[in-house]
Amino acid sequence: MTFDDLVIPDTPACRGALEVAARYHTPSLLNHSIRAYLWAAAYAREHGIAFDAELLYVAAMLHDLGLVAEFDSHSVAFEEAGGDVAWVFCAGAGWSPERRVRAREVIIRHMWDEVPLEEDPEGHLLELSTGMDISGRRTEEIPEEIRREVLERHPRLQIAKEFGACMSEQGARKPSSLAGQFVRAGIVDRIARNPLDA
């Protein structure tokens, strides 16, 4: 498998989601969102997992919008806020009500400990790939050449520092959220030890 084997969808919704992510994310968070999709696509190809590339790409681009000031919510977890923004975006993109719900679900579920593949392949892949990118979990399951090329094209920049700060701040403001639980379980230390930053 090479980088060129990865399915990178090119639809109006995908182009719009990338534009939104580029407008509101820092360069580090934007690259993280792109890598999240690429790790998911590479893992899926390596393991023969069929998935909806457009749905997964849009969810990957928008999954952290709840962390940025413009869409941060003081009453709900950041993944729920991001899921709601995605629902609105997908309505504007002309997606069916069912497909909008799916985008929201995939984004909310990316913070779960595990998403069953048989129930939600896109949610499974995004949960797995964001974990790979943030804490380095299971990165050895991505072929070395793909890892190298993805990191060259979309470097990590300051993602460890930025995301650690985001999680700490979310956890402090919303202690009952999954971010709060992750902070108490030591996510900030795991982010700092990510082998992708070695």
PDB file of all heavy atoms in Angstrom, residues 133-165:
ATOM      1  N   ASP A 133      -3.618   9.299  16.471  1.00  0.00           N
ATOM      2  CA  ASP A 133      -2.951  10.573  16.250  1.00  0.00           C
ATOM      3  C   ASP A 133      -2.687  11.332  17.538  1.00  0.00           C
ATOM      4  O   ASP A 133      -1.663  12.004  17.667  1.00  0.00           O
ATOM      5  CB  ASP A 133      -3.768  11.455  15.295  1.00  0.00           C
ATOM      6  CG  ASP A 133      -2.901  12.515  14.640  1.00  0.00           C
ATOM      7  OD1 ASP A 133      -1.948  12.129  13.929  1.00  0.00           O
ATOM      8  OD2 ASP A 133      -3.144  13.706  14.873  1.00  0.00           O
ATOM      9  N   ILE A 134      -3.570  11.225  18.504  1.00  0.00           N
ATOM     10  CA  ILE A 134      -3.414  12.004  19.736  1.00  0.00           C
ATOM     11  C   ILE A 134      -2.531  11.304  20.759  1.00  0.00           C
ATOM     12  O   ILE A 134      -1.652  11.920  21.355  1.00  0.00           O
ATOM     13  CB  ILE A 134      -4.795  12.349  20.337  1.00  0.00           C
ATOM     14  CG1 ILE A 134      -5.531  13.353  19.431  1.00  0.00           C
ATOM     15  CG2 ILE A 134      -4.666  12.890  21.753  1.00  0.00           C
ATOM     16  CD1 ILE A 134      -4.791  14.667  19.202  1.00  0.00           C
ATOM     17  N   SER A 135      -2.742  10.008  20.982  1.00  0.00           N
ATOM     18  CA  SER A 135      -1.961   9.334  22.020  1.00  0.00           C
ATOM     19  C   SER A 135      -0.986   8.301  21.480  1.00  0.00           C
ATOM     20  O   SER A 135      -0.218   7.722  22.243  1.00  0.00           O
ATOM     21  CB  SER A 135      -2.903   8.672  23.034  1.00  0.00           C
ATOM     22  OG  SER A 135      -3.642   7.631  22.414  1.00  0.00           O
ATOM     23  N   GLY A 136      -1.018   8.048  20.169  1.00  0.00           N
ATOM     24  CA  GLY A 136      -0.090   7.102  19.577  1.00  0.00           C
ATOM     25  C   GLY A 136      -0.517   5.654  19.699  1.00  0.00           C
ATOM     26  O   GLY A 136       0.232   4.750  19.333  1.00  0.00           O
ATOM     27  N   ARG A 137      -1.727   5.415  20.165  1.00  0.00           N
ATOM     28  CA  ARG A 137      -2.235   4.064  20.359  1.00  0.00           C
ATOM     29  C   ARG A 137      -2.359   3.326  19.019  1.00  0.00           C
ATOM     30  O   ARG A 137      -2.967   3.830  18.087  1.00  0.00           O
ATOM     31  CB  ARG A 137      -3.603   4.151  21.039  1.00  0.00           C
ATOM     32  CG  ARG A 137      -4.257   2.834  21.354  1.00  0.00           C
ATOM     33  CD  ARG A 137      -5.629   3.065  21.924  1.00  0.00           C
ATOM     34  NE  ARG A 137      -6.432   3.871  21.009  1.00  0.00           N
ATOM     35  CZ  ARG A 137      -7.765   3.827  20.974  1.00  0.00           C
ATOM     36  NH1 ARG A 137      -8.427   3.073  21.797  1.00  0.00           N
ATOM     37  NH2 ARG A 137      -8.419   4.578  20.116  1.00  0.00           N
ATOM     38  N   ARG A 138      -1.737   2.170  18.903  1.00  0.00           N
ATOM     39  CA  ARG A 138      -1.850   1.256  17.759  1.00  0.00           C
ATOM     40  C   ARG A 138      -1.289   1.840  16.452  1.00  0.00           C
ATOM     41  O   ARG A 138      -1.634   1.386  15.372  1.00  0.00           O
ATOM     42  CB  ARG A 138      -3.303   0.806  17.576  1.00  0.00           C
ATOM     43  CG  ARG A 138      -3.815   0.002  18.767  1.00  0.00           C
ATOM     44  CD  ARG A 138      -5.281  -0.312  18.682  1.00  0.00           C
ATOM     45  NE  ARG A 138      -5.598  -1.154  17.517  1.00  0.00           N
ATOM     46  CZ  ARG A 138      -6.838  -1.587  17.252  1.00  0.00           C
ATOM     47  NH1 ARG A 138      -7.845  -1.253  18.045  1.00  0.00           N
ATOM     48  NH2 ARG A 138      -7.056  -2.336  16.202  1.00  0.00           N
ATOM     49  N   THR A 139      -0.414   2.815  16.550  1.00  0.00           N
ATOM     50  CA  THR A 139       0.157   3.385  15.326  1.00  0.00           C
ATOM     51  C   THR A 139       0.989   2.375  14.551  1.00  0.00           C
ATOM     52  O   THR A 139       1.184   2.532  13.348  1.00  0.00           O
ATOM     53  CB  THR A 139       1.025   4.624  15.643  1.00  0.00           C
ATOM     54  OG1 THR A 139       1.982   4.272  16.647  1.00  0.00           O
ATOM     55  CG2 THR A 139       0.178   5.773  16.130  1.00  0.00           C
ATOM     56  N   GLU A 140       1.457   1.330  15.236  1.00  0.00           N
ATOM     57  CA  GLU A 140       2.237   0.304  14.541  1.00  0.00           C
ATOM     58  C   GLU A 140       1.392  -0.467  13.530  1.00  0.00           C
ATOM     59  O   GLU A 140       1.933  -1.179  12.673  1.00  0.00           O
ATOM     60  CB  GLU A 140       2.864  -0.663  15.552  1.00  0.00           C
ATOM     61  CG  GLU A 140       1.890  -1.599  16.240  1.00  0.00           C
ATOM     62  CD  GLU A 140       1.087  -0.970  17.384  1.00  0.00           C
ATOM     63  OE1 GLU A 140       1.326   0.214  17.711  1.00  0.00           O
ATOM     64  OE2 GLU A 140       0.230  -1.670  17.946  1.00  0.00           O
ATOM     65  N   GLU A 141       0.079  -0.312  13.592  1.00  0.00           N
ATOM     66  CA  GLU A 141      -0.794  -1.000  12.638  1.00  0.00           C
ATOM     67  C   GLU A 141      -0.912  -0.250  11.309  1.00  0.00           C
ATOM     68  O   GLU A 141      -1.552  -0.738  10.377  1.00  0.00           O
ATOM     69  CB  GLU A 141      -2.169  -1.227  13.260  1.00  0.00           C
ATOM     70  CG  GLU A 141      -2.107  -2.151  14.467  1.00  0.00           C
ATOM     71  CD  GLU A 141      -3.460  -2.480  15.037  1.00  0.00           C
ATOM     72  OE1 GLU A 141      -4.398  -2.716  14.258  1.00  0.00           O
ATOM     73  OE2 GLU A 141      -3.587  -2.491  16.280  1.00  0.00           O
ATOM     74  N   ILE A 142      -0.304   0.929  11.219  1.00  0.00           N
ATOM     75  CA  ILE A 142      -0.216   1.657   9.953  1.00  0.00           C
ATOM     76  C   ILE A 142       1.164   1.369   9.359  1.00  0.00           C
ATOM     77  O   ILE A 142       2.178   1.525  10.050  1.00  0.00           O
ATOM     78  CB  ILE A 142      -0.384   3.183  10.174  1.00  0.00           C
ATOM     79  CG1 ILE A 142      -1.719   3.495  10.865  1.00  0.00           C
ATOM     80  CG2 ILE A 142      -0.251   3.928   8.848  1.00  0.00           C
ATOM     81  CD1 ILE A 142      -2.949   3.152  10.060  1.00  0.00           C
ATOM     82  N   PRO A 143       1.237   0.930   8.104  1.00  0.00           N
ATOM     83  CA  PRO A 143       2.562   0.638   7.513  1.00  0.00           C
ATOM     84  C   PRO A 143       3.524   1.817   7.651  1.00  0.00           C
ATOM     85  O   PRO A 143       3.126   2.982   7.530  1.00  0.00           O
ATOM     86  CB  PRO A 143       2.225   0.357   6.045  1.00  0.00           C
ATOM     87  CG  PRO A 143       0.808  -0.129   6.067  1.00  0.00           C
ATOM     88  CD  PRO A 143       0.142   0.647   7.166  1.00  0.00           C
ATOM     89  N   GLU A 144       4.781   1.499   7.920  1.00  0.00           N
ATOM     90  CA  GLU A 144       5.785   2.529   8.204  1.00  0.00           C
ATOM     91  C   GLU A 144       5.890   3.574   7.098  1.00  0.00           C
ATOM     92  O   GLU A 144       6.000   4.769   7.366  1.00  0.00           O
ATOM     93  CB  GLU A 144       7.141   1.868   8.435  1.00  0.00           C
ATOM     94  CG  GLU A 144       8.228   2.858   8.826  1.00  0.00           C
ATOM     95  CD  GLU A 144       9.551   2.173   9.109  1.00  0.00           C
ATOM     96  OE1 GLU A 144       9.605   0.928   9.133  1.00  0.00           O
ATOM     97  OE2 GLU A 144      10.533   2.912   9.298  1.00  0.00           O
ATOM     98  N   GLU A 145       5.852   3.146   5.840  1.00  0.00           N
ATOM     99  CA  GLU A 145       5.978   4.092   4.735  1.00  0.00           C
ATOM    100  C   GLU A 145       4.793   5.057   4.689  1.00  0.00           C
ATOM    101  O   GLU A 145       4.953   6.238   4.369  1.00  0.00           O
ATOM    102  CB  GLU A 145       6.110   3.357   3.398  1.00  0.00           C
ATOM    103  CG  GLU A 145       7.504   2.826   3.131  1.00  0.00           C
ATOM    104  CD  GLU A 145       8.541   3.951   3.126  1.00  0.00           C
ATOM    105  OE1 GLU A 145       8.392   4.913   2.341  1.00  0.00           O
ATOM    106  OE2 GLU A 145       9.499   3.879   3.915  1.00  0.00           O
ATOM    107  N   ILE A 146       3.609   4.554   5.003  1.00  0.00           N
ATOM    108  CA  ILE A 146       2.421   5.427   5.044  1.00  0.00           C
ATOM    109  C   ILE A 146       2.563   6.421   6.192  1.00  0.00           C
ATOM    110  O   ILE A 146       2.285   7.612   6.033  1.00  0.00           O
ATOM    111  CB  ILE A 146       1.134   4.595   5.195  1.00  0.00           C
ATOM    112  CG1 ILE A 146       0.928   3.698   3.976  1.00  0.00           C
ATOM    113  CG2 ILE A 146      -0.072   5.503   5.412  1.00  0.00           C
ATOM    114  CD1 ILE A 146       0.603   4.420   2.705  1.00  0.00           C
ATOM    115  N   ARG A 147       2.985   5.938   7.357  1.00  0.00           N
ATOM    116  CA  ARG A 147       3.182   6.848   8.500  1.00  0.00           C
ATOM    117  C   ARG A 147       4.139   7.964   8.128  1.00  0.00           C
ATOM    118  O   ARG A 147       3.883   9.140   8.383  1.00  0.00           O
ATOM    119  CB  ARG A 147       3.738   6.091   9.716  1.00  0.00           C
ATOM    120  CG  ARG A 147       2.757   5.173  10.389  1.00  0.00           C
ATOM    121  CD  ARG A 147       3.166   4.817  11.815  1.00  0.00           C
ATOM    122  NE  ARG A 147       4.523   4.386  11.971  1.00  0.00           N
ATOM    123  CZ  ARG A 147       4.915   3.117  11.947  1.00  0.00           C
ATOM    124  NH1 ARG A 147       4.046   2.151  11.731  1.00  0.00           N
ATOM    125  NH2 ARG A 147       6.183   2.806  12.134  1.00  0.00           N
ATOM    126  N   ARG A 148       5.259   7.590   7.520  1.00  0.00           N
ATOM    127  CA  ARG A 148       6.273   8.591   7.156  1.00  0.00           C
ATOM    128  C   ARG A 148       5.709   9.619   6.182  1.00  0.00           C
ATOM    129  O   ARG A 148       5.872  10.825   6.384  1.00  0.00           O
ATOM    130  CB  ARG A 148       7.487   7.892   6.535  1.00  0.00           C
ATOM    131  CG  ARG A 148       8.607   8.837   6.126  1.00  0.00           C
ATOM    132  CD  ARG A 148       9.679   8.135   5.320  1.00  0.00           C
ATOM    133  NE  ARG A 148       9.147   7.485   4.134  1.00  0.00           N
ATOM    134  CZ  ARG A 148       8.782   8.150   3.029  1.00  0.00           C
ATOM    135  NH1 ARG A 148       8.896   9.462   2.952  1.00  0.00           N
ATOM    136  NH2 ARG A 148       8.296   7.493   1.988  1.00  0.00           N
ATOM    137  N   GLU A 149       5.007   9.160   5.149  1.00  0.00           N
ATOM    138  CA  GLU A 149       4.518  10.098   4.140  1.00  0.00           C
ATOM    139  C   GLU A 149       3.405  10.992   4.680  1.00  0.00           C
ATOM    140  O   GLU A 149       3.371  12.190   4.392  1.00  0.00           O
ATOM    141  CB  GLU A 149       4.037   9.352   2.892  1.00  0.00           C
ATOM    142  CG  GLU A 149       3.721  10.301   1.752  1.00  0.00           C
ATOM    143  CD  GLU A 149       3.758   9.664   0.389  1.00  0.00           C
ATOM    144  OE1 GLU A 149       3.980   8.435   0.285  1.00  0.00           O
ATOM    145  OE2 GLU A 149       3.561  10.405  -0.592  1.00  0.00           O
ATOM    146  N   VAL A 150       2.514  10.434   5.480  1.00  0.00           N
ATOM    147  CA  VAL A 150       1.454  11.252   6.073  1.00  0.00           C
ATOM    148  C   VAL A 150       2.057  12.346   6.951  1.00  0.00           C
ATOM    149  O   VAL A 150       1.649  13.512   6.882  1.00  0.00           O
ATOM    150  CB  VAL A 150       0.463  10.376   6.875  1.00  0.00           C
ATOM    151  CG1 VAL A 150      -0.453  11.238   7.750  1.00  0.00           C
ATOM    152  CG2 VAL A 150      -0.372   9.509   5.935  1.00  0.00           C
ATOM    153  N   LEU A 151       3.043  11.987   7.766  1.00  0.00           N
ATOM    154  CA  LEU A 151       3.661  12.970   8.662  1.00  0.00           C
ATOM    155  C   LEU A 151       4.464  14.009   7.900  1.00  0.00           C
ATOM    156  O   LEU A 151       4.560  15.160   8.335  1.00  0.00           O
ATOM    157  CB  LEU A 151       4.537  12.259   9.694  1.00  0.00           C
ATOM    158  CG  LEU A 151       3.769  11.410  10.710  1.00  0.00           C
ATOM    159  CD1 LEU A 151       4.727  10.574  11.540  1.00  0.00           C
ATOM    160  CD2 LEU A 151       2.887  12.274  11.607  1.00  0.00           C
ATOM    161  N   GLU A 152       5.038  13.626   6.762  1.00  0.00           N
ATOM    162  CA  GLU A 152       5.751  14.610   5.940  1.00  0.00           C
ATOM    163  C   GLU A 152       4.780  15.597   5.291  1.00  0.00           C
ATOM    164  O   GLU A 152       5.044  16.794   5.239  1.00  0.00           O
ATOM    165  CB  GLU A 152       6.566  13.902   4.858  1.00  0.00           C
ATOM    166  CG  GLU A 152       7.828  13.260   5.367  1.00  0.00           C
ATOM    167  CD  GLU A 152       8.590  12.525   4.270  1.00  0.00           C
ATOM    168  OE1 GLU A 152       8.135  12.532   3.100  1.00  0.00           O
ATOM    169  OE2 GLU A 152       9.651  11.935   4.583  1.00  0.00           O
ATOM    170  N   ARG A 153       3.673  15.079   4.784  1.00  0.00           N
ATOM    171  CA  ARG A 153       2.702  15.938   4.099  1.00  0.00           C
ATOM    172  C   ARG A 153       1.889  16.797   5.066  1.00  0.00           C
ATOM    173  O   ARG A 153       1.500  17.916   4.731  1.00  0.00           O
ATOM    174  CB  ARG A 153       1.741  15.083   3.272  1.00  0.00           C
ATOM    175  CG  ARG A 153       2.379  14.414   2.068  1.00  0.00           C
ATOM    176  CD  ARG A 153       1.335  13.634   1.297  1.00  0.00           C
ATOM    177  NE  ARG A 153       1.917  12.887   0.194  1.00  0.00           N
ATOM    178  CZ  ARG A 153       1.364  12.812  -1.008  1.00  0.00           C
ATOM    179  NH1 ARG A 153       0.228  13.433  -1.258  1.00  0.00           N
ATOM    180  NH2 ARG A 153       1.943  12.098  -1.958  1.00  0.00           N
ATOM    181  N   HIS A 154       1.618  16.248   6.247  1.00  0.00           N
ATOM    182  CA  HIS A 154       0.768  16.940   7.230  1.00  0.00           C
ATOM    183  C   HIS A 154       1.438  16.861   8.605  1.00  0.00           C
ATOM    184  O   HIS A 154       1.023  16.082   9.469  1.00  0.00           O
ATOM    185  CB  HIS A 154      -0.631  16.317   7.257  1.00  0.00           C
ATOM    186  CG  HIS A 154      -1.264  16.252   5.899  1.00  0.00           C
ATOM    187  ND1 HIS A 154      -1.782  17.369   5.274  1.00  0.00           N
ATOM    188  CD2 HIS A 154      -1.413  15.213   5.031  1.00  0.00           C
ATOM    189  CE1 HIS A 154      -2.249  17.010   4.085  1.00  0.00           C
ATOM    190  NE2 HIS A 154      -2.029  15.733   3.912  1.00  0.00           N
ATOM    191  N   PRO A 155       2.500  17.647   8.826  1.00  0.00           N
ATOM    192  CA  PRO A 155       3.302  17.535  10.052  1.00  0.00           C
ATOM    193  C   PRO A 155       2.509  17.835  11.322  1.00  0.00           C
ATOM    194  O   PRO A 155       1.496  18.538  11.301  1.00  0.00           O
ATOM    195  CB  PRO A 155       4.421  18.553   9.833  1.00  0.00           C
ATOM    196  CG  PRO A 155       3.935  19.472   8.768  1.00  0.00           C
ATOM    197  CD  PRO A 155       3.004  18.684   7.909  1.00  0.00           C
ATOM    198  N   ARG A 156       3.004  17.312  12.416  1.00  0.00           N
ATOM    199  CA  ARG A 156       2.291  17.390  13.696  1.00  0.00           C
ATOM    200  C   ARG A 156       2.346  18.794  14.310  1.00  0.00           C
ATOM    201  O   ARG A 156       1.490  19.149  15.098  1.00  0.00           O
ATOM    202  CB  ARG A 156       2.855  16.332  14.661  1.00  0.00           C
ATOM    203  CG  ARG A 156       2.534  14.920  14.132  1.00  0.00           C
ATOM    204  CD  ARG A 156       3.016  13.848  15.062  1.00  0.00           C
ATOM    205  NE  ARG A 156       2.436  13.925  16.378  1.00  0.00           N
ATOM    206  CZ  ARG A 156       1.187  13.567  16.687  1.00  0.00           C
ATOM    207  NH1 ARG A 156       0.367  13.112  15.762  1.00  0.00           N
ATOM    208  NH2 ARG A 156       0.751  13.656  17.930  1.00  0.00           N
ATOM    209  N   LEU A 157       3.356  19.569  13.976  1.00  0.00           N
ATOM    210  CA  LEU A 157       3.488  20.935  14.489  1.00  0.00           C
ATOM    211  C   LEU A 157       3.378  20.924  16.011  1.00  0.00           C
ATOM    212  O   LEU A 157       4.135  20.238  16.671  1.00  0.00           O
ATOM    213  CB  LEU A 157       2.445  21.854  13.826  1.00  0.00           C
ATOM    214  CG  LEU A 157       2.458  21.855  12.278  1.00  0.00           C
ATOM    215  CD1 LEU A 157       1.330  22.705  11.721  1.00  0.00           C
ATOM    216  CD2 LEU A 157       3.807  22.302  11.740  1.00  0.00           C
ATOM    217  N   GLN A 158       2.415  21.667  16.577  1.00  0.00           N
ATOM    218  CA  GLN A 158       2.290  21.777  18.037  1.00  0.00           C
ATOM    219  C   GLN A 158       1.077  21.018  18.571  1.00  0.00           C
ATOM    220  O   GLN A 158       0.512  21.384  19.606  1.00  0.00           O
ATOM    221  CB  GLN A 158       2.192  23.250  18.434  1.00  0.00           C
ATOM    222  CG  GLN A 158       3.397  24.074  18.061  1.00  0.00           C
ATOM    223  CD  GLN A 158       4.650  23.584  18.751  1.00  0.00           C
ATOM    224  OE1 GLN A 158       4.648  23.331  19.949  1.00  0.00           O
ATOM    225  NE2 GLN A 158       5.731  23.427  17.995  1.00  0.00           N
ATOM    226  N   ILE A 159       0.660  19.936  17.891  1.00  0.00           N
ATOM    227  CA  ILE A 159      -0.586  19.277  18.276  1.00  0.00           C
ATOM    228  C   ILE A 159      -0.545  18.727  19.698  1.00  0.00           C
ATOM    229  O   ILE A 159      -1.534  18.821  20.429  1.00  0.00           O
ATOM    230  CB  ILE A 159      -0.990  18.171  17.268  1.00  0.00           C
ATOM    231  CG1 ILE A 159      -2.415  17.658  17.557  1.00  0.00           C
ATOM    232  CG2 ILE A 159       0.015  17.039  17.260  1.00  0.00           C
ATOM    233  CD1 ILE A 159      -3.494  18.700  17.440  1.00  0.00           C
ATOM    234  N   ALA A 160       0.582  18.176  20.134  1.00  0.00           N
ATOM    235  CA  ALA A 160       0.630  17.619  21.486  1.00  0.00           C
ATOM    236  C   ALA A 160       0.384  18.710  22.524  1.00  0.00           C
ATOM    237  O   ALA A 160      -0.451  18.548  23.430  1.00  0.00           O
ATOM    238  CB  ALA A 160       1.970  16.927  21.727  1.00  0.00           C
ATOM    239  N   LYS A 161       1.063  19.815  22.385  1.00  0.00           N
ATOM    240  CA  LYS A 161       0.898  20.920  23.340  1.00  0.00           C
ATOM    241  C   LYS A 161      -0.509  21.503  23.257  1.00  0.00           C
ATOM    242  O   LYS A 161      -1.171  21.704  24.287  1.00  0.00           O
ATOM    243  CB  LYS A 161       1.942  21.995  23.044  1.00  0.00           C
ATOM    244  CG  LYS A 161       1.863  23.201  23.948  1.00  0.00           C
ATOM    245  CD  LYS A 161       2.938  24.220  23.572  1.00  0.00           C
ATOM    246  CE  LYS A 161       2.841  25.466  24.424  1.00  0.00           C
ATOM    247  NZ  LYS A 161       3.858  26.467  24.050  1.00  0.00           N
ATOM    248  N   GLU A 162      -0.983  21.762  22.049  1.00  0.00           N
ATOM    249  CA  GLU A 162      -2.301  22.377  21.885  1.00  0.00           C
ATOM    250  C   GLU A 162      -3.418  21.463  22.370  1.00  0.00           C
ATOM    251  O   GLU A 162      -4.325  21.906  23.075  1.00  0.00           O
ATOM    252  CB  GLU A 162      -2.546  22.735  20.421  1.00  0.00           C
ATOM    253  CG  GLU A 162      -1.785  23.946  19.940  1.00  0.00           C
ATOM    254  CD  GLU A 162      -2.156  24.321  18.520  1.00  0.00           C
ATOM    255  OE1 GLU A 162      -3.292  24.020  18.078  1.00  0.00           O
ATOM    256  OE2 GLU A 162      -1.304  24.919  17.828  1.00  0.00           O
ATOM    257  N   PHE A 163      -3.360  20.188  21.972  1.00  0.00           N
ATOM    258  CA  PHE A 163      -4.457  19.298  22.324  1.00  0.00           C
ATOM    259  C   PHE A 163      -4.436  18.968  23.808  1.00  0.00           C
ATOM    260  O   PHE A 163      -5.488  18.864  24.445  1.00  0.00           O
ATOM    261  CB  PHE A 163      -4.430  18.022  21.481  1.00  0.00           C
ATOM    262  CG  PHE A 163      -5.768  17.357  21.428  1.00  0.00           C
ATOM    263  CD1 PHE A 163      -6.728  17.772  20.526  1.00  0.00           C
ATOM    264  CD2 PHE A 163      -6.082  16.328  22.302  1.00  0.00           C
ATOM    265  CE1 PHE A 163      -7.975  17.184  20.488  1.00  0.00           C
ATOM    266  CE2 PHE A 163      -7.328  15.726  22.265  1.00  0.00           C
ATOM    267  CZ  PHE A 163      -8.278  16.153  21.365  1.00  0.00           C
ATOM    268  N   GLY A 164      -3.257  18.825  24.376  1.00  0.00           N
ATOM    269  CA  GLY A 164      -3.177  18.619  25.821  1.00  0.00           C
ATOM    270  C   GLY A 164      -3.813  19.773  26.579  1.00  0.00           C
ATOM    271  O   GLY A 164      -4.557  19.574  27.550  1.00  0.00           O
ATOM    272  N   ALA A 165      -3.548  20.998  26.139  1.00  0.00           N
ATOM    273  CA  ALA A 165      -4.143  22.172  26.778  1.00  0.00           C
ATOM    274  C   ALA A 165      -5.660  22.194  26.584  1.00  0.00           C
ATOM    275  O   ALA A 165      -6.413  22.510  27.519  1.00  0.00           O
ATOM    276  CB  ALA A 165      -3.519  23.451  26.218  1.00  0.00           C
TER     277      ALA A 165
END
